[in-house]
Amino acid sequence: MTVYNIQNQWGGSSAPWHDGGVLNIGNRADQLPTALHIQSGDGGLSFTGTMTYQGEGPIGLRATRVTENCYQAENQWGGNDAPWHDAGLFLLGARDGQNAVAFDLTSKDGQTVTGTMTYAGEGPIGVKGTKSPGLAFNATNQWGGSGAPWHQGGQWVIGCRPDQPVVGLEVSSHDNGKTLTGTMTYKGEGPIASAARARWPTPTAW
């Protein structure tokens, strides 16, 4: 799964760049995305448009929101009457309670992305991002006993080391979810201390 750590810019080309969270906009092994052009007409509940993977032309994309900033995506190629194919979960946006509604991103090599995105109630803002070595996991949750159904839990992005995935995670929070502390384990190592703070980037000025 292709994850990018991004920054956003608003206020002109000389304005500072701000932490923009993470995006996952592709789920093909060894084939990186090189373009994403999608819009939402319903406030970020769904998206339609096109995307492009390396070595191909643009293909259709439609995505429906399943949890906060997390969308079930499908791709279509071969014409308007062709079938739609499961494209996995996309992570689109990183603000609490403010959905993204448009993306216009391109990449020359799949390693970096540039362009613009738009959050509901705002105009377009700049985007620049770099591919992350972190892995995106499609999480599910279960309650009501071992025989109860599993429910969509969104997407978790874990780790930051190339070719060394996380194989263990044991954390808890003592401040109602604002921070998580505990241990994590990378492949081939023992547990190491870990601390994380929740982040929901929002602009300080527009």
Side-chain angles (χ1 to χ4, degrees), residues 19-86:
D19 180 18
V22 297
L23 291 177
N24 172 28
I25 57 173
N27 292 304
R28 293 185 180 178
D30 303 319
Q31 193 177 16
L32 299 175
T34 57
L36 181 71
H37 305 291
I38 57 174
Q39 292 186 331
S40 173
D42 54 13
L45 297 180
S46 64
F47 284 92
T48 58
T50 65
M51 69 176 298
T52 307
Y53 281 100
Q54 287 175 326
E56 299 183 5
I59 58 177
L61 173 67
R62 67 184 184 187
T64 303
R65 184 176 181 265
V66 292
T67 64
E68 187 74 24
N69 299 318
C70 189
Y71 295 78
Q72 180 63 54
E74 295 178 288
N75 288 139
Q76 182 189 50
W77 53 87
N80 292 335
D81 295 327
W84 288 86
H85 304 268
D86 181 15

Side-chain angles (χ1 to χ4, degrees), residues 142-150:
Q142 182 190 50
W143 53 87
S146 59
W150 288 84

Side-chain angles (χ1 to χ4, degrees), residues 1 24 27 70 88-89 136-140 152 154-156:
M1 296 181 181
N24 172 28
N27 292 304
C70 189
L89 290 182
F137 293 84
N138 294 341
T140 54
Q152 180 56 251
Q155 194 164 83
W156 293 18

Side-chain angles (χ1 to χ4, degrees), residues 4 9-10 19 22 35 47 68 78 100 104 108 114 123 129 139 157 176 180 190 199:
Y4 296 91
Q9 183 188 52
W10 52 86
D19 180 18
V22 297
F47 284 92
E68 187 74 24
D104 187 6
K108 293 181 179 180
T114 59
V157 179
N176 297 314
L180 296 171
R199 63 178 188 182

Side-chain angles (χ1 to χ4, degrees), residues 2-8 17-25 91 94 110-114 127-135 157-161 199:
T2 310
V3 177
Y4 296 91
N5 295 325
I6 72 164
Q7 293 179 292
N8 291 135
W17 288 86
H18 306 267
D19 180 18
V22 297
L23 291 177
N24 172 28
I25 57 173
L91 193 59
Q111 297 295 324
T112 60
V113 293
T114 59
V127 175
K128 65 179 181 180
T130 303
K131 186 175 179 295
S132 167
L135 294 179
V157 179
I158 303 174
C160 64
R161 297 181 181 178
R199 63 178 188 182

